[in-house]
Amino acid sequence: MDRPGHIFQRLLLIALLMVGLAGCQVFTPASPSQELMGTGDLGLIIERATGSVLVINTSGHNVLGRVEGLGDLSHASVVYSRDGRYGYVFGRDGGLTKVDLLTRTVADRVIQSGNSIGGAISQDGRFVAVSNYEPGGVKVFDSETLELVMDIPATYTGAEGKTVQSKTVGLVDAPGNRFVFSLFDAGEIWTLDMSAPEPAVRRFDAGDAPYDALITPDGRHYIAGLFGEDGLSMLDLWNPEQGVTEILPDYGKGEQKLPVYKMPHLEGWAIADGRAFFPAVGRHQVLAAKMDDWSLVDRIPVQGQPVFVMASPDNRQIWVSFAHPKNDVVQVIDSQSRKIIRTLEPGEAVLHMEFTPRGEEVWVSARDSNRVTVYSTRTLEPVATLDAEKPSGIFFTTRAHALGL
């Protein structure tokens, strides 16, 4: 007969074996299709002609998979959940698609309007807002379920005294769980406070035909570009009671405005060396303004009409892409000298650029060359290329932790 001490030792041994077996089960290597990974170096590339996105790894310069069935992506953009696992893709057909980057599948999808132009995710990650051309206005959805939370018609009084809806543009997230957007037809800027028990809208008069907007990295200033006039409209979100002020007025005074082949984008704007750099509408110029008083300090000549003007994360370089017909090159500007230091040729119809999180590389899409080229920001030489079907927007998961992106 076993003595009590022997019985205890045997039971202890059995318990330790069971714990060990459980540990083996926990650490069983995943199959290739279930490879464990974080999301910090992942991203999405829009394939605009096929309604698909590529899930890519920035560290490995490789494509992990393709997700299809996202509709019309001719003017698509992406925001991310706080953990970087889900990308919310805003399609031109009004589709809002939630993509799981880890499983490379569509997690959910809704058609929320007839024509959409982008969106934003709230500071706390609970709400996804979509900016619409048709029928206009902004819709807010629950980020988990994509259930509609709010429908905000962008109404105003038209020329004939009738109530009509405006196209909405320049939708960004702001501190305090707010959204800010512009009304193209009404010439207004609206804020939407989602932190209140009853979300509240405030309206501000802006300039003529705001076409896109940006928010400063500290979340204080919302700046809308104006298509109907020279200058930009700025709202100080710390002091909104002061209303909208105009900055850079008459920047094109005395110059002939050229036909605009593609509207500039302000979302990827550049701040470097204490200055803000903007694309000039209808001109072959990049404008530089002082950040303390927003006065114009320089007009940098470039080879065409700029679309994206973006600063590298270390603020040493400004990368500029262009509208048709001179859209097969990218020019790099030194932020201190404000001189062009290199002209690159990534391919035909360059549409978008995206810097890696710490800025050692920049990815550039060339739609008509069906490729994405990765450049070193140190040598300004290509280090990798990826095949893609008519690529346009490139969006890395680092956007999950940045305001206004």
Side-chain angles (χ1 to χ4, degrees):
M1 180 178 293
D2 289 333
R3 287 177 293 180
H6 289 166
I7 294 174
F8 176 78
Q9 291 175 353
R10 189 174 299 169
L11 291 173
L12 180 61
L13 179 60
I14 292 171
L16 290 172
L17 287 171
M18 291 179 67
V19 171
L21 288 172
C24 290
Q25 290 174 346
V26 169
F27 294 104
T28 299
S31 65
S33 63
Q34 297 174 321
E35 181 182 359
L36 297 176
M37 68 177 69
T39 60
D41 60 353
L42 302 185
L44 294 173
I45 296 175
I46 303 295
E47 294 185 309
R48 59 183 289 155
T50 54
S52 55
V53 294
L54 297 178
V55 182
I56 54 89
N57 182 296
T58 62
S59 298
H61 298 149
N62 60 317
V63 175
L64 301 179
R66 175 179 279 113
V67 183
E68 300 177 323
L70 278 69
D72 183 354
L73 300 183
S74 58
H75 193 289
S77 60
V78 181
V79 298
Y80 288 98
S81 59
R82 286 168 64 93
D83 60 4
R85 176 171 181 173
Y86 298 101
Y88 299 88
V89 183
F90 307 100
R92 194 59 185 261
D93 58 359
L96 169 59
T97 309
K98 184 177 180 180
V99 174
D100 188 330
L101 274 70
L102 295 183
T103 63
R104 272 88 84 180
T105 59
V106 171
D108 207 345
R109 175 172 166 82
V110 296
I111 300 295
Q112 56 82 44
S113 77
N115 191 334
S116 176
I117 198 64
I121 189 165
S122 62
Q123 187 178 31
D124 63 5
R126 293 174 54 204
F127 306 107
V128 175
V130 189
S131 179
N132 292 314
Y133 268 16
E134 178 62 41
V138 167
K139 290 185 179 179
V140 182
F141 297 84
D142 183 290
S143 63
E144 289 290 330
T145 64
L146 295 193
E147 292 181 358
L148 182 64
V149 175
M150 289 191 68
D151 186 353
I152 306 164
T155 56
Y156 71 103
T157 302
E160 300 179 357
K162 297 180 179 179
T163 298
V164 291
Q165 277 215 61
S166 172
K167 301 180 182 70
T168 53
V169 296
L171 173 61
V172 301
D173 63 287
N177 235 32
R178 290 175 291 175
F179 293 114
V180 191
F181 53 94
S182 297
L183 280 63
F184 177 84
D185 304 294
E188 296 179 351
I189 294 172
W190 289 14
T191 64
L192 170 62
D193 186 353
M194 296 297 296
S195 66
E198 293 293 331
V201 172
R202 296 184 67 180
R203 307 167 68 142
F204 303 87
D205 290 330
D208 187 6
Y211 66 87
D212 196 12
L214 55 90
I215 191 169
T216 51
D218 59 5
R220 177 173 180 175
H221 295 104
Y222 176 86
I223 302 174
L226 302 176
F227 185 69
E229 60 182 286
D230 289 341
L232 300 97
S233 292
M234 182 177 70
L235 176 64
D236 184 345
L237 296 174
W238 291 7
N239 304 288
E241 67 281 354
Q242 297 177 358
V244 171
T245 58
E246 187 177 13
I247 62 174
L248 305 186
D250 302 322
Y251 63 74
K253 188 174 182 179
E255 299 179 9
Q256 182 180 0
K257 192 172 183 178
L258 301 173
V260 177
Y261 296 105
K262 183 175 177 61
M263 297 292 283
H265 285 257
L266 295 180
E267 183 181 284
W269 80 316
I271 292 180
D273 196 27
R275 294 172 175 84
F277 295 81
F278 301 88
V281 179
R283 292 176 174 83
H284 296 182
Q285 296 176 346
V286 171
L287 309 177
K290 292 171 62 177
M291 291 288 291
D292 54 358
D293 61 4
W294 299 100
S295 61
L296 184 65
V297 295
D298 204 355
R299 307 165 186 261
I300 305 169
V302 289
Q303 66 91 39
Q305 293 183 17
V307 175
F308 281 101
V309 176
M310 302 175 67
S312 58
D314 64 2
N315 292 336
R316 286 301 309 276
Q317 299 169 352
I318 311 298
W319 288 59
V320 186
S321 65
F322 299 94
H324 178 82
K326 298 183 177 181
N327 59 348
D328 59 347
V329 303
V330 169
Q331 291 191 305
V332 185
I333 299 171
D334 178 84
S335 63
Q336 287 190 309
S337 67
R338 303 198 289 279
K339 304 294 184 183
I340 295 171
I341 57 175
R342 187 73 65 89
T343 297
L344 306 172
E345 298 181 359
E348 299 178 11
V350 172
L351 292 188
H352 202 250
M353 304 174 291
E354 182 87 332
F355 290 94
T356 50
R358 294 192 176 187
E360 75 282 357
E361 294 173 348
V362 59
W363 292 43
V364 183
S365 64
R367 181 194 62 201
D368 294 349
S369 294
N370 293 307
R371 69 169 178 258
V372 172
T373 304
V374 183
Y375 287 92
S376 165
T377 53
R378 182 178 61 86
T379 66
L380 302 182
E381 297 293 335
V383 296
T385 58
L386 292 82
D387 294 331
E389 293 291 331
K390 303 297 181 185
S392 55
I394 305 172
F395 305 93
F396 297 155
T397 54
T398 45
R399 288 170 170 258
H401 309 295
L403 286 168
L405 295 177

mmCIF file of all heavy atoms in Angstrom, residues 48-89:
data_model
loop_
_atom_site.group_PDB
_atom_site.id
_atom_site.type_symbol
_atom_site.label_atom_id
_atom_site.label_comp_id
_atom_site.label_asym_id
_atom_site.label_seq_id
_atom_site.Cartn_x
_atom_site.Cartn_y
_atom_site.Cartn_z
ATOM 1 N N ARG A 48 -7.353 50.060 -57.720
ATOM 2 C CA ARG A 48 -8.566 50.811 -58.029
ATOM 3 C C ARG A 48 -9.388 50.205 -59.151
ATOM 4 O O ARG A 48 -10.613 50.355 -59.170
ATOM 5 C CB ARG A 48 -8.224 52.262 -58.351
ATOM 6 C CG ARG A 48 -7.293 52.467 -59.517
ATOM 7 C CD ARG A 48 -6.954 53.946 -59.701
ATOM 8 N NE ARG A 48 -8.095 54.715 -60.196
ATOM 9 C CZ ARG A 48 -8.240 56.013 -59.987
ATOM 10 N NH1 ARG A 48 -7.357 56.679 -59.281
ATOM 11 N NH2 ARG A 48 -9.281 56.656 -60.490
ATOM 12 N N ALA A 49 -8.787 49.549 -60.107
ATOM 13 C CA ALA A 49 -9.535 49.044 -61.260
ATOM 14 C C ALA A 49 -10.247 47.724 -60.972
ATOM 15 O O ALA A 49 -11.207 47.381 -61.662
ATOM 16 C CB ALA A 49 -8.601 48.875 -62.452
ATOM 17 N N THR A 50 -9.787 46.989 -59.972
ATOM 18 C CA THR A 50 -10.329 45.652 -59.710
ATOM 19 C C THR A 50 -11.125 45.575 -58.420
ATOM 20 O O THR A 50 -11.596 44.497 -58.052
ATOM 21 C CB THR A 50 -9.192 44.615 -59.662
ATOM 22 O OG1 THR A 50 -8.207 45.042 -58.703
ATOM 23 C CG2 THR A 50 -8.523 44.478 -61.018
ATOM 24 N N GLY A 51 -11.295 46.687 -57.715
ATOM 25 C CA GLY A 51 -12.060 46.667 -56.479
ATOM 26 C C GLY A 51 -11.439 45.801 -55.410
ATOM 27 O O GLY A 51 -12.154 45.178 -54.613
ATOM 28 N N SER A 52 -10.112 45.780 -55.358
ATOM 29 C CA SER A 52 -9.410 44.931 -54.399
ATOM 30 C C SER A 52 -8.338 45.732 -53.677
ATOM 31 O O SER A 52 -7.977 46.840 -54.082
ATOM 32 C CB SER A 52 -8.780 43.729 -55.113
ATOM 33 O OG SER A 52 -7.929 44.148 -56.168
ATOM 34 N N VAL A 53 -7.837 45.159 -52.582
ATOM 35 C CA VAL A 53 -6.721 45.754 -51.847
ATOM 36 C C VAL A 53 -5.665 44.685 -51.597
ATOM 37 O O VAL A 53 -5.987 43.498 -51.442
ATOM 38 C CB VAL A 53 -7.165 46.373 -50.499
ATOM 39 C CG1 VAL A 53 -8.069 47.563 -50.720
ATOM 40 C CG2 VAL A 53 -7.836 45.337 -49.608
ATOM 41 N N LEU A 54 -4.409 45.105 -51.585
ATOM 42 C CA LEU A 54 -3.306 44.232 -51.225
ATOM 43 C C LEU A 54 -2.942 44.470 -49.765
ATOM 44 O O LEU A 54 -2.811 45.617 -49.326
ATOM 45 C CB LEU A 54 -2.080 44.498 -52.098
ATOM 46 C CG LEU A 54 -2.215 44.240 -53.599
ATOM 47 C CD1 LEU A 54 -0.910 44.600 -54.303
ATOM 48 C CD2 LEU A 54 -2.603 42.799 -53.882
ATOM 49 N N VAL A 55 -2.780 43.396 -49.014
ATOM 50 C CA VAL A 55 -2.256 43.482 -47.654
ATOM 51 C C VAL A 55 -0.744 43.302 -47.748
ATOM 52 O O VAL A 55 -0.271 42.287 -48.255
ATOM 53 C CB VAL A 55 -2.867 42.415 -46.739
ATOM 54 C CG1 VAL A 55 -2.332 42.566 -45.308
ATOM 55 C CG2 VAL A 55 -4.388 42.491 -46.754
ATOM 56 N N ILE A 56 0.013 44.309 -47.291
ATOM 57 C CA ILE A 56 1.457 44.280 -47.488
ATOM 58 C C ILE A 56 2.187 44.378 -46.152
ATOM 59 O O ILE A 56 1.629 44.810 -45.139
ATOM 60 C CB ILE A 56 1.920 45.403 -48.437
ATOM 61 C CG1 ILE A 56 1.431 46.789 -47.957
ATOM 62 C CG2 ILE A 56 1.406 45.150 -49.842
ATOM 63 C CD1 ILE A 56 2.368 47.478 -47.005
ATOM 64 N N ASN A 57 3.455 43.945 -46.175
ATOM 65 C CA ASN A 57 4.345 44.043 -45.027
ATOM 66 C C ASN A 57 5.471 45.005 -45.381
ATOM 67 O O ASN A 57 6.230 44.759 -46.326
ATOM 68 C CB ASN A 57 4.890 42.658 -44.675
ATOM 69 C CG ASN A 57 5.778 42.671 -43.451
ATOM 70 O OD1 ASN A 57 6.833 43.283 -43.445
ATOM 71 N ND2 ASN A 57 5.355 41.976 -42.416
ATOM 72 N N THR A 58 5.589 46.104 -44.651
ATOM 73 C CA THR A 58 6.577 47.121 -44.996
ATOM 74 C C THR A 58 8.002 46.663 -44.711
ATOM 75 O O THR A 58 8.932 47.044 -45.418
ATOM 76 C CB THR A 58 6.306 48.432 -44.241
ATOM 77 O OG1 THR A 58 6.403 48.208 -42.831
ATOM 78 C CG2 THR A 58 4.928 48.964 -44.566
ATOM 79 N N SER A 59 8.186 45.832 -43.679
ATOM 80 C CA SER A 59 9.540 45.364 -43.348
ATOM 81 C C SER A 59 10.066 44.381 -44.377
ATOM 82 O O SER A 59 11.244 44.405 -44.734
ATOM 83 C CB SER A 59 9.553 44.714 -41.959
ATOM 84 O OG SER A 59 9.181 45.640 -40.957
ATOM 85 N N GLY A 60 9.193 43.522 -44.853
ATOM 86 C CA GLY A 60 9.615 42.505 -45.809
ATOM 87 C C GLY A 60 9.461 42.893 -47.263
ATOM 88 O O GLY A 60 9.839 42.134 -48.154
ATOM 89 N N HIS A 61 8.855 44.068 -47.528
ATOM 90 C CA HIS A 61 8.604 44.502 -48.912
ATOM 91 C C HIS A 61 7.817 43.449 -49.690
ATOM 92 O O HIS A 61 8.065 43.226 -50.873
ATOM 93 C CB HIS A 61 9.915 44.783 -49.661
ATOM 94 C CG HIS A 61 10.728 45.873 -49.080
ATOM 95 N ND1 HIS A 61 12.110 45.889 -49.142
ATOM 96 C CD2 HIS A 61 10.371 46.992 -48.405
ATOM 97 C CE1 HIS A 61 12.569 46.973 -48.530
ATOM 98 N NE2 HIS A 61 11.535 47.658 -48.077
ATOM 99 N N ASN A 62 6.838 42.821 -49.047
ATOM 100 C CA ASN A 62 6.126 41.744 -49.721
ATOM 101 C C ASN A 62 4.617 41.866 -49.552
ATOM 102 O O ASN A 62 4.124 42.557 -48.659
ATOM 103 C CB ASN A 62 6.591 40.371 -49.216
ATOM 104 C CG ASN A 62 6.355 40.193 -47.724
ATOM 105 O OD1 ASN A 62 6.598 41.089 -46.935
ATOM 106 N ND2 ASN A 62 5.893 39.024 -47.347
ATOM 107 N N VAL A 63 3.914 41.194 -50.463
ATOM 108 C CA VAL A 63 2.455 41.148 -50.439
ATOM 109 C C VAL A 63 2.028 39.891 -49.692
ATOM 110 O O VAL A 63 2.432 38.780 -50.035
ATOM 111 C CB VAL A 63 1.885 41.140 -51.869
ATOM 112 C CG1 VAL A 63 0.369 40.960 -51.838
ATOM 113 C CG2 VAL A 63 2.260 42.428 -52.601
ATOM 114 N N LEU A 64 1.191 40.068 -48.663
ATOM 115 C CA LEU A 64 0.710 38.931 -47.875
ATOM 116 C C LEU A 64 -0.551 38.322 -48.464
ATOM 117 O O LEU A 64 -0.822 37.136 -48.253
ATOM 118 C CB LEU A 64 0.435 39.379 -46.438
ATOM 119 C CG LEU A 64 1.614 39.978 -45.669
ATOM 120 C CD1 LEU A 64 1.169 40.390 -44.274
ATOM 121 C CD2 LEU A 64 2.768 38.998 -45.610
ATOM 122 N N GLY A 65 -1.330 39.121 -49.184
ATOM 123 C CA GLY A 65 -2.557 38.593 -49.769
ATOM 124 C C GLY A 65 -3.372 39.697 -50.411
ATOM 125 O O GLY A 65 -3.050 40.879 -50.299
ATOM 126 N N ARG A 66 -4.421 39.286 -51.089
ATOM 127 C CA ARG A 66 -5.328 40.213 -51.768
ATOM 128 C C ARG A 66 -6.739 39.990 -51.235
ATOM 129 O O ARG A 66 -7.181 38.854 -51.057
ATOM 130 C CB ARG A 66 -5.286 39.980 -53.273
ATOM 131 C CG ARG A 66 -6.289 40.814 -54.061
ATOM 132 C CD ARG A 66 -6.212 40.572 -55.560
ATOM 133 N NE ARG A 66 -5.112 41.335 -56.162
ATOM 134 C CZ ARG A 66 -4.032 40.795 -56.698
ATOM 135 N NH1 ARG A 66 -3.879 39.475 -56.692
ATOM 136 N NH2 ARG A 66 -3.105 41.554 -57.243
ATOM 137 N N VAL A 67 -7.458 41.101 -50.969
ATOM 138 C CA VAL A 67 -8.854 41.041 -50.538
ATOM 139 C C VAL A 67 -9.692 41.668 -51.637
ATOM 140 O O VAL A 67 -9.446 42.812 -52.035
ATOM 141 C CB VAL A 67 -9.069 41.783 -49.204
ATOM 142 C CG1 VAL A 67 -10.516 41.632 -48.737
ATOM 143 C CG2 VAL A 67 -8.110 41.261 -48.131
ATOM 144 N N GLU A 68 -10.692 40.936 -52.124
ATOM 145 C CA GLU A 68 -11.490 41.383 -53.255
ATOM 146 C C GLU A 68 -12.923 41.702 -52.831
ATOM 147 O O GLU A 68 -13.326 41.461 -51.697
ATOM 148 C CB GLU A 68 -11.492 40.300 -54.343
ATOM 149 C CG GLU A 68 -10.089 39.981 -54.867
ATOM 150 C CD GLU A 68 -10.091 38.857 -55.894
ATOM 151 O OE1 GLU A 68 -10.891 37.910 -55.720
ATOM 152 O OE2 GLU A 68 -9.314 38.941 -56.858
ATOM 153 N N GLY A 69 -13.675 42.279 -53.772
ATOM 154 C CA GLY A 69 -15.089 42.541 -53.552
ATOM 155 C C GLY A 69 -15.386 43.841 -52.831
ATOM 156 O O GLY A 69 -16.377 43.939 -52.112
ATOM 157 N N LEU A 70 -14.550 44.877 -53.049
ATOM 158 C CA LEU A 70 -14.716 46.140 -52.336
ATOM 159 C C LEU A 70 -15.385 47.222 -53.191
ATOM 160 O O LEU A 70 -15.463 48.382 -52.782
ATOM 161 C CB LEU A 70 -13.370 46.648 -51.822
ATOM 162 C CG LEU A 70 -12.883 46.042 -50.496
ATOM 163 C CD1 LEU A 70 -12.517 44.574 -50.660
ATOM 164 C CD2 LEU A 70 -11.684 46.802 -49.961
ATOM 165 N N GLY A 71 -15.845 46.875 -54.386
ATOM 166 C CA GLY A 71 -16.593 47.833 -55.189
ATOM 167 C C GLY A 71 -15.724 48.828 -55.923
ATOM 168 O O GLY A 71 -14.587 48.546 -56.300
ATOM 169 N N ASP A 72 -16.255 50.043 -56.124
ATOM 170 C CA ASP A 72 -15.572 51.093 -56.886
ATOM 171 C C ASP A 72 -14.546 51.783 -55.996
ATOM 172 O O ASP A 72 -14.886 52.525 -55.077
ATOM 173 C CB ASP A 72 -16.608 52.099 -57.390
ATOM 174 C CG ASP A 72 -15.987 53.197 -58.258
ATOM 175 O OD1 ASP A 72 -14.747 53.247 -58.381
ATOM 176 O OD2 ASP A 72 -16.755 54.016 -58.795
ATOM 177 N N LEU A 73 -13.274 51.570 -56.294
ATOM 178 C CA LEU A 73 -12.193 52.144 -55.496
ATOM 179 C C LEU A 73 -11.438 53.229 -56.273
ATOM 180 O O LEU A 73 -10.246 53.444 -56.065
ATOM 181 C CB LEU A 73 -11.217 51.049 -55.042
ATOM 182 C CG LEU A 73 -11.814 49.932 -54.183
ATOM 183 C CD1 LEU A 73 -10.723 48.963 -53.735
ATOM 184 C CD2 LEU A 73 -12.556 50.497 -52.975
ATOM 185 N N SER A 74 -12.143 53.911 -57.170
ATOM 186 C CA SER A 74 -11.485 54.917 -58.010
ATOM 187 C C SER A 74 -11.028 56.138 -57.217
ATOM 188 O O SER A 74 -10.195 56.909 -57.682
ATOM 189 C CB SER A 74 -12.418 55.354 -59.145
ATOM 190 O OG SER A 74 -13.628 55.877 -58.635
ATOM 191 N N HIS A 75 -11.568 56.347 -56.029
ATOM 192 C CA HIS A 75 -11.096 57.425 -55.164
ATOM 193 C C HIS A 75 -11.218 56.942 -53.721
ATOM 194 O O HIS A 75 -11.981 57.482 -52.923
ATOM 195 C CB HIS A 75 -11.911 58.697 -55.380
ATOM 196 C CG HIS A 75 -11.299 59.933 -54.763
ATOM 197 N ND1 HIS A 75 -11.259 60.134 -53.401
ATOM 198 C CD2 HIS A 75 -10.688 61.001 -55.320
ATOM 199 C CE1 HIS A 75 -10.668 61.284 -53.153
ATOM 200 N NE2 HIS A 75 -10.313 61.838 -54.289
ATOM 201 N N ALA A 76 -10.441 55.906 -53.394
ATOM 202 C CA ALA A 76 -10.603 55.238 -52.105
ATOM 203 C C ALA A 76 -9.571 55.720 -51.097
ATOM 204 O O ALA A 76 -8.462 56.113 -51.450
ATOM 205 C CB ALA A 76 -10.489 53.726 -52.282
ATOM 206 N N SER A 77 -9.954 55.674 -49.827
ATOM 207 C CA SER A 77 -9.030 55.964 -48.733
ATOM 208 C C SER A 77 -9.309 54.994 -47.593
ATOM 209 O O SER A 77 -10.321 54.279 -47.596
ATOM 210 C CB SER A 77 -9.167 57.415 -48.264
ATOM 211 O OG SER A 77 -10.480 57.669 -47.805
ATOM 212 N N VAL A 78 -8.400 54.968 -46.612
ATOM 213 C CA VAL A 78 -8.458 53.974 -45.541
ATOM 214 C C VAL A 78 -8.122 54.632 -44.204
ATOM 215 O O VAL A 78 -7.214 55.459 -44.119
ATOM 216 C CB VAL A 78 -7.458 52.817 -45.793
ATOM 217 C CG1 VAL A 78 -7.553 51.773 -44.677
ATOM 218 C CG2 VAL A 78 -7.698 52.165 -47.150
ATOM 219 N N VAL A 79 -8.861 54.255 -43.149
ATOM 220 C CA VAL A 79 -8.465 54.541 -41.769
ATOM 221 C C VAL A 79 -8.431 53.206 -41.025
ATOM 222 O O VAL A 79 -8.944 52.193 -41.512
ATOM 223 C CB VAL A 79 -9.420 55.530 -41.071
ATOM 224 C CG1 VAL A 79 -9.417 56.873 -41.786
ATOM 225 C CG2 VAL A 79 -10.836 54.972 -40.989
ATOM 226 N N TYR A 80 -7.834 53.221 -39.819
ATOM 227 C CA TYR A 80 -7.604 51.963 -39.112
ATOM 228 C C TYR A 80 -8.178 51.987 -37.699
ATOM 229 O O TYR A 80 -8.246 53.040 -37.052
ATOM 230 C CB TYR A 80 -6.099 51.675 -39.029
ATOM 231 C CG TYR A 80 -5.509 51.265 -40.352
ATOM 232 C CD1 TYR A 80 -4.844 52.198 -41.145
ATOM 233 C CD2 TYR A 80 -5.630 49.966 -40.826
ATOM 234 C CE1 TYR A 80 -4.304 51.834 -42.370
ATOM 235 C CE2 TYR A 80 -5.092 49.597 -42.051
ATOM 236 C CZ TYR A 80 -4.434 50.530 -42.813
ATOM 237 O OH TYR A 80 -3.914 50.169 -44.030
ATOM 238 N N SER A 81 -8.551 50.787 -37.221
ATOM 239 C CA SER A 81 -8.936 50.611 -35.827
ATOM 240 C C SER A 81 -7.737 50.878 -34.932
ATOM 241 O O SER A 81 -6.587 50.881 -35.374
ATOM 242 C CB SER A 81 -9.467 49.196 -35.601
ATOM 243 O OG SER A 81 -8.474 48.223 -35.944
ATOM 244 N N ARG A 82 -7.988 51.089 -33.663
ATOM 245 C CA ARG A 82 -6.915 51.457 -32.745
ATOM 246 C C ARG A 82 -5.810 50.398 -32.674
ATOM 247 O O ARG A 82 -4.631 50.729 -32.501
ATOM 248 C CB ARG A 82 -7.491 51.690 -31.340
ATOM 249 C CG ARG A 82 -8.270 52.985 -31.217
ATOM 250 C CD ARG A 82 -9.062 53.023 -29.925
ATOM 251 N NE ARG A 82 -8.214 53.006 -28.743
ATOM 252 C CZ ARG A 82 -7.792 54.094 -28.105
ATOM 253 N NH1 ARG A 82 -8.121 55.293 -28.568
ATOM 254 N NH2 ARG A 82 -7.069 54.013 -27.013
ATOM 255 N N ASP A 83 -6.189 49.120 -32.808
ATOM 256 C CA ASP A 83 -5.176 48.065 -32.739
ATOM 257 C C ASP A 83 -4.534 47.783 -34.089
ATOM 258 O O ASP A 83 -3.642 46.933 -34.190
ATOM 259 C CB ASP A 83 -5.777 46.779 -32.171
ATOM 260 C CG ASP A 83 -6.935 46.237 -32.996
ATOM 261 O OD1 ASP A 83 -7.243 46.826 -34.066
ATOM 262 O OD2 ASP A 83 -7.545 45.230 -32.588
ATOM 263 N N GLY A 84 -4.958 48.483 -35.129
ATOM 264 C CA GLY A 84 -4.373 48.304 -36.444
ATOM 265 C C GLY A 84 -4.780 47.029 -37.156
ATOM 266 O O GLY A 84 -4.263 46.731 -38.234
ATOM 267 N N ARG A 85 -5.723 46.286 -36.596
ATOM 268 C CA ARG A 85 -6.114 45.037 -37.246
ATOM 269 C C ARG A 85 -7.085 45.266 -38.398
ATOM 270 O O ARG A 85 -7.019 44.573 -39.422
ATOM 271 C CB ARG A 85 -6.755 44.080 -36.235
ATOM 272 C CG ARG A 85 -7.276 42.806 -36.884
ATOM 273 C CD ARG A 85 -7.707 41.762 -35.893
ATOM 274 N NE ARG A 85 -8.180 40.557 -36.587
ATOM 275 C CZ ARG A 85 -8.509 39.419 -35.976
ATOM 276 N NH1 ARG A 85 -8.408 39.323 -34.654
ATOM 277 N NH2 ARG A 85 -8.942 38.384 -36.677
ATOM 278 N N TYR A 86 -7.984 46.223 -38.244
ATOM 279 C CA TYR A 86 -9.025 46.436 -39.240
ATOM 280 C C TYR A 86 -8.797 47.746 -39.997
ATOM 281 O O TYR A 86 -8.536 48.793 -39.397
ATOM 282 C CB TYR A 86 -10.406 46.467 -38.578
ATOM 283 C CG TYR A 86 -10.773 45.179 -37.889
ATOM 284 C CD1 TYR A 86 -10.667 45.052 -36.509
ATOM 285 C CD2 TYR A 86 -11.199 44.076 -38.631
ATOM 286 C CE1 TYR A 86 -10.997 43.861 -35.875
ATOM 287 C CE2 TYR A 86 -11.527 42.885 -38.010
ATOM 288 C CZ TYR A 86 -11.424 42.774 -36.634
ATOM 289 O OH TYR A 86 -11.731 41.595 -36.005
ATOM 290 N N GLY A 87 -8.903 47.659 -41.313
ATOM 291 C CA GLY A 87 -8.885 48.842 -42.153
ATOM 292 C C GLY A 87 -10.291 49.135 -42.652
ATOM 293 O O GLY A 87 -10.999 48.221 -43.106
ATOM 294 N N TYR A 88 -10.714 50.391 -42.539
ATOM 295 C CA TYR A 88 -12.028 50.808 -43.021
ATOM 296 C C TYR A 88 -11.815 51.516 -44.356
ATOM 297 O O TYR A 88 -11.218 52.595 -44.413
ATOM 298 C CB TYR A 88 -12.710 51.726 -42.009
ATOM 299 C CG TYR A 88 -12.949 51.061 -40.673
ATOM 300 C CD1 TYR A 88 -11.967 51.090 -39.682
ATOM 301 C CD2 TYR A 88 -14.133 50.376 -40.401
ATOM 302 C CE1 TYR A 88 -12.165 50.468 -38.452
ATOM 303 C CE2 TYR A 88 -14.341 49.749 -39.176
ATOM 304 C CZ TYR A 88 -13.348 49.798 -38.212
ATOM 305 O OH TYR A 88 -13.546 49.175 -36.999
ATOM 306 N N VAL A 89 -12.296 50.888 -45.414
ATOM 307 C CA VAL A 89 -12.046 51.360 -46.769
ATOM 308 C C VAL A 89 -13.278 52.121 -47.259
ATOM 309 O O VAL A 89 -14.391 51.582 -47.270
ATOM 310 C CB VAL A 89 -11.726 50.195 -47.722
ATOM 311 C CG1 VAL A 89 -11.408 50.719 -49.119
ATOM 312 C CG2 VAL A 89 -10.552 49.369 -47.178
#
